[in-house]
Amino acid sequence: MQARTSEGRPIRLLTVLDEHTRECLAINVERKLTAEDVVVQMTDLFVHRGVPEYLRSDNGSEFTAEALRDWLKRLGVGTLFIEPGSPWENGYIESFNGRLRAEFLNAELFDTVREAKILTERWRREYNTIRPHSSLGYRPPAPAAVQPEGSGATPLHLPVDGRDGEKLT
């Protein structure tokens, strides 16, 4: 996905989402993204989270590059490319990207790429640990980050639903 800095220069965002948990694993923000950038990001995730069975993506040049496809093949990771013009084949990331755009990118004006990286990471952490998701029973995707009451830690409380003032659970 793409955004712009205040002077109008484009920035690209590589968003990585776990389809099972709906957790946003990474958002890489750069002026441009290449297959090498994808390999670096995926290497970090594979080391820390394990190697997945497959990687679902669109047909952007950074995902269809021979270097990335060869690397994934060596690791035994299958590729699932969505058909061009068929965003419903990648519904979770399309929904996530829509929320990222509506809730964050449309509300921010970045002066630098560094500022975009910092603010985007802050939003990603909030998305994963605080923001309730209706598809997950109004819990965040990474609930381990929310300390349960009685654990000795001060619990994080979910936000209040603006419609009726009741706390979401």
Side-chain angles (χ1 to χ4, degrees):
M1 78 182 300
Q2 187 168 304
R4 294 197 176 274
T5 54
S6 59
E7 76 274 3
R9 293 182 59 203
I11 53 175
R12 299 281 316 272
L13 293 89
L14 169 66
T15 55
V16 183
L17 194 72
D18 182 311
E19 288 184 352
H20 178 70
T21 66
R22 310 295 197 325
E23 181 181 4
C24 177
L25 302 178
I27 304 175
N28 190 352
V29 180
E30 297 292 343
R31 284 281 177 207
K32 65 178 189 167
L33 291 167
T34 65
E36 184 178 324
D37 296 320
V38 175
V39 169
V40 168
Q41 182 64 72
M42 294 297 113
T43 299
D44 184 55
L45 290 173
F46 292 2
V47 166
H48 291 97
R49 304 293 291 244
V51 178
E53 260 182 67
Y54 62 88
L55 182 67
R56 185 184 318 270
S57 70
D58 62 23
N59 291 289
S61 60
E62 64 272 23
F63 296 111
T64 59
E66 192 172 323
L68 176 64
R69 293 171 69 169
D70 289 345
W71 178 75
L72 290 171
K73 187 175 182 179
R74 284 193 310 273
L75 292 175
V77 178
T79 54
L80 297 173
F81 293 108
I82 65 166
E83 289 293 320
S86 302
W88 55 86
E89 291 182 7
N90 203 4
Y92 294 127
I93 196 71
E94 293 294 334
S95 176
F96 173 80
N97 286 344
R99 294 199 190 310
L100 174 63
R101 168 99 34 223
E103 296 175 11
F104 176 66
L105 295 176
N106 288 346
E108 293 292 338
L109 183 62
F110 309 114
D111 288 325
T112 66
V113 173
R114 180 170 168 77
E115 179 184 27
K117 288 180 179 191
I118 291 167
L119 294 177
T120 300
E121 180 59 16
R122 182 183 300 162
W123 183 88
R124 186 190 72 83
R125 289 181 184 196
E126 181 179 313
Y127 177 89
N128 284 337
T129 61
I130 298 171
R131 184 187 179 281
H133 298 254
S134 60
S135 65
L136 300 174
Y138 292 98
R139 289 187 168 84
V146 178
Q147 297 293 323
E149 293 188 37
S151 68
T154 304
L156 294 174
H157 294 285
L158 297 176
V160 171
D161 181 348
R163 291 174 298 179
D164 59 10
E166 293 181 11
K167 188 170 82 171
L168 300 174
T169 56

